[in-house]
Amino acid sequence: MQLLKKHMVRTAVALALGAGALIGGSGTASAVDVHPQYVTFKCDPGRACLYDTSGGVWNMDGCGPNYIYGVFNFARAHGNSFTVWYANNTYDLVPAGGQRFLDANNRVTEVDVHC
């Protein structure tokens, strides 16, 4: 009897969790979602990449804004085009599949990936 009772409780919990997942389930992504960013020593396929002055490469993914703060001297688009925004509200556009030198005398505050 104990075994049957334990099985019934587990089944009820599983059904409740499943119903909660269906009701509260998948929503759309919001603007506050965190985009995957990481530093390596190369630009990975499909990424927006900024090369910092010490040799590191920031790899960013995801449409929209990627907030970053630093000094970078080169950019490469291994995917979509993107806009590099500086602290003084100027910007540089990097075309899809393109690359360009950046203003290394100005701090980057945001990279907006166009999708």
Side-chain angles (χ1 to χ4, degrees):
M1 191 62 156
Q2 280 290 62
L3 186 58
L4 181 60
K5 187 176 180 181
K6 189 182 283 188
H7 178 69
M8 297 281 290
V9 169
R10 286 183 181 167
T11 302
V13 169
L15 288 173
L17 289 174
L22 287 175
I23 293 168
S26 63
T28 58
S30 71
V32 295
D33 289 341
V34 175
H35 296 293
Q37 297 183 31
Y38 54 90
V39 179
T40 63
F41 292 101
K42 66 182 180 70
C43 186
D44 290 336
R47 299 286 177 153
C49 298
L50 296 184
Y51 293 72
D52 68 26
T53 55
S54 64
V57 180
W58 274 94
N59 283 261
M60 290 162 276
D61 191 19
C63 301
N66 291 271
Y67 299 102
I68 189 169
Y69 190 77
V71 178
F72 301 90
N73 55 12
F74 191 74
R76 175 172 286 156
H78 267 219
N80 297 335
S81 63
F82 61 91
T83 304
V84 178
W85 289 94
Y86 297 104
N88 66 353
N89 276 343
T90 60
Y91 65 91
D92 282 322
L93 177 64
V94 182
Q99 57 191 11
R100 69 172 297 141
F101 287 100
L102 299 175
D103 181 0
N105 296 319
N106 209 339
R107 294 209 177 269
V108 173
T109 58
E110 180 183 330
V111 174
D112 189 17
V113 179
H114 309 157
C115 296

